[in-house]
Amino acid sequence: MKVLKQCLFLFLAVILVITPISSVSANDTAQDDIYPADSREENIKNLMSERAMLQLKLNDLQENNNNDSNTTELSIPSDLKIIKEYKELSTKIQQIDNQLYDLGVRDLSEDELAEKLKLSDEGALAVVPGGYSNVSWRTYRSIWVKNSVRYEVQHIVASPAGTASSSISQSGTVVQTTNGGIRAAGTGLLKTTAKEGASLIPGVDIGITIYDALKQALTDFSSTTEVTNITSSYNWDYNMNVDFMYVKKEGQSDISQVLSFRSSEVFGAASWSIRNVGYKKGTNIVTSSNFITDSRRYHYTPSNHGIGSNAVTAYLNPGSASTAFVSNVDFTGIDGKVFKSVSLPRFSFPSQIQDK
């Protein structure tokens, strides 16, 4: 009996020690969690990224078709192919627009945008230029929960519209020439890298070697062919989706909103036109003047882009991180030389994004 009492005493002692620790740990975990009320935000973010890439393809198709229309020669099979691709892209974009609408995404009018700028306490910056033509604005709202309190995050998203330049869309051309012997399969022709601050961002990267670019056009060209010189003209561009996130407690008026987090993703394309290339064929050097053209697309998104929990955290703790911007994109050409390094803008307020 005495032994039974001692065992019972030890059991109760262990329970008393363990229970408070377990309770505190569970409570701490619950208090630290921020979770979405539904999955709409993630779906919307993915759909908007997909739409932006499809729109870029559609813009390029339209621009290339306009350039081709200046020639006197017509290629019916090619025209039919272009028409089919145009219809397919347009249909996909419309399907995404329908999905976004069903998820609560709406176009943002200039009056609504002006109201948001007043809430940002921007002073002289709170001016919305009329008649945006190169930038489109959309908005949607998501709910995040912390400590059983529901917070509403309103996303104000700026995206490129059309092919013209703006604060979030630029393009340019660079010519690069190299001399000396380089191995075709071991030398890059084009690649991209992007950073958030000093950190590389994983993403859909361009990566192609000189051999990959030339093997279809030059029948006597192999992976071991030595290139003696090459001149390539590069066209590059960048496009940004920028997300401004305003936070308030659910049920409060929008007057209570605080602009607490800003982020961006970048996407685009780079194309090349090889004007001439010299390469060894046996003991001879062959020169080709064919215009060999092609392009590749890229897409980089910081891990914290467009995520409402970051906005809620910054709203509750003003000293925490408040941005997740792609800081720059590097375009690297032949021999690993960066032919264009683009420093991307970091926006504090929506009004800093304007047509150009």
Side-chain angles (χ1 to χ4, degrees):
M1 187 68 178
K2 183 178 180 180
V3 173
L4 182 60
K5 286 183 177 180
Q6 287 177 340
C7 290
L8 182 60
F9 175 81
L10 289 172
F11 176 76
L12 291 173
V14 170
I15 292 296
L16 288 173
V17 171
I18 293 176
T19 301
I21 295 174
S22 300
S23 299
V24 170
S25 177
N27 288 338
D28 285 348
T29 301
Q31 289 175 1
D32 289 341
D33 280 349
I34 301 178
Y35 61 90
D38 56 52
S39 61
R40 282 190 320 112
E41 184 182 87
E42 184 68 19
N43 291 339
I44 289 170
K45 188 178 72 166
N46 292 337
L47 284 170
M48 292 185 80
S49 293
E50 183 182 355
R51 188 196 189 284
M53 293 296 290
L54 291 173
Q55 186 64 55
L56 182 63
K57 290 182 181 180
L58 187 64
N59 293 343
D60 288 346
L61 196 65
Q62 290 174 316
E63 189 171 5
N64 292 336
N65 189 50
N66 290 338
N67 293 337
D68 291 342
S69 66
N70 295 328
T71 65
T72 55
E73 296 182 4
L74 294 177
S75 173
I76 301 301
S78 177
D79 290 346
L80 292 175
K81 183 179 178 181
I82 290 173
I83 291 171
K84 180 181 178 182
E85 188 176 358
Y86 181 90
K87 288 182 177 179
E88 288 176 350
L89 287 170
S90 298
T91 299
K92 288 180 181 177
I93 290 172
Q94 185 58 57
Q95 288 172 346
I96 290 176
D97 283 342
N98 293 340
Q99 291 179 66
L100 288 172
Y101 188 87
D102 291 341
L103 290 168
V105 179
R106 299 291 183 269
D107 290 337
L108 191 68
S109 71
E110 291 177 16
D111 289 341
E112 290 173 307
L113 183 56
E115 287 299 317
K116 280 292 168 290
L117 298 178
K118 292 178 183 177
L119 296 177
S120 302
D121 192 23
E122 299 181 53
L125 288 175
V127 177
V128 182
Y132 274 104
S133 57
N134 303 331
V135 179
S136 65
W137 295 91
R138 294 183 179 87
T139 185
Y140 64 96
R141 301 182 186 232
S142 59
I143 302 295
W144 289 80
V145 183
K146 181 178 174 64
N147 292 343
S148 301
V149 179
R150 294 167 65 90
Y151 296 91
E152 183 181 270
V153 179
Q154 182 176 11
H155 298 255
I156 306 291
V157 183
S159 302
T163 58
S165 296
S166 69
S167 300
I168 56 175
S169 184
Q170 297 289 325
S171 62
T173 301
V174 175
V175 175
Q176 189 181 49
T177 301
T178 186
N179 296 305
I182 53 177
R183 187 168 171 270
T187 305
L189 177 70
L190 177 64
K191 73 171 185 176
T192 60
T193 52
K195 290 183 178 180
E196 179 186 358
S199 302
L200 285 172
I201 303 172
V204 178
D205 175 28
I206 292 171
I208 185 168
T209 67
I210 291 175
Y211 172 66
D212 292 330
L214 297 178
K215 63 183 179 181
Q216 299 298 328
L218 305 177
T219 56
D220 57 349
F221 202 78
S222 72
S223 60
T224 58
T225 299
E226 183 180 334
V227 177
T228 58
N229 62 74
I230 184 170
T231 300
S232 184
S233 175
Y234 294 100
N235 294 319
W236 58 269
D237 66 50
Y238 75 80
N239 304 272
M240 300 171 66
N241 282 339
V242 185
D243 194 333
F244 300 90
M245 286 176 263
Y246 293 77
V247 183
K248 66 176 183 178
K249 289 183 179 180
E250 187 181 33
Q252 290 181 331
S253 165
D254 280 0
I255 296 175
S256 303
Q257 283 182 327
V258 174
L259 175 56
S260 65
F261 204 88
R262 311 145 184 87
S263 65
S264 69
E265 63 179 345
V266 65
F267 53 94
S271 61
W272 63 88
S273 177
I274 297 176
R275 299 183 177 183
N276 57 69
V277 57
Y279 58 97
K280 284 188 177 180
K281 187 64 178 175
T283 58
N284 300 320
I285 293 179
V286 181
T287 300
S288 173
S289 305
N290 294 333
F291 280 83
I292 302 166
T293 10
D294 205 346
S295 65
R296 291 289 186 277
R297 302 184 186 281
Y298 67 90
H299 184 197
Y300 296 99
T301 305
S303 58
N304 290 324
H305 168 62
I307 300 177
S309 61
N310 296 310
V312 174
T313 297
Y315 172 78
L316 297 173
N317 304 289
S320 60
S322 60
T323 62
F325 282 107
V326 184
S327 57
N328 70 285
V329 176
D330 286 342
F331 298 89
T332 302
I334 307 163
D335 281 350
K337 295 177 182 176
V338 176
F339 64 82
K340 183 65 180 180
S341 183
V342 181
S343 295
L344 301 180
R346 296 166 58 90
F347 302 101
S348 298
F349 306 106
S351 60
Q352 293 171 326
I353 297 178
Q354 300 183 18
D355 282 357
K356 285 188 178 180

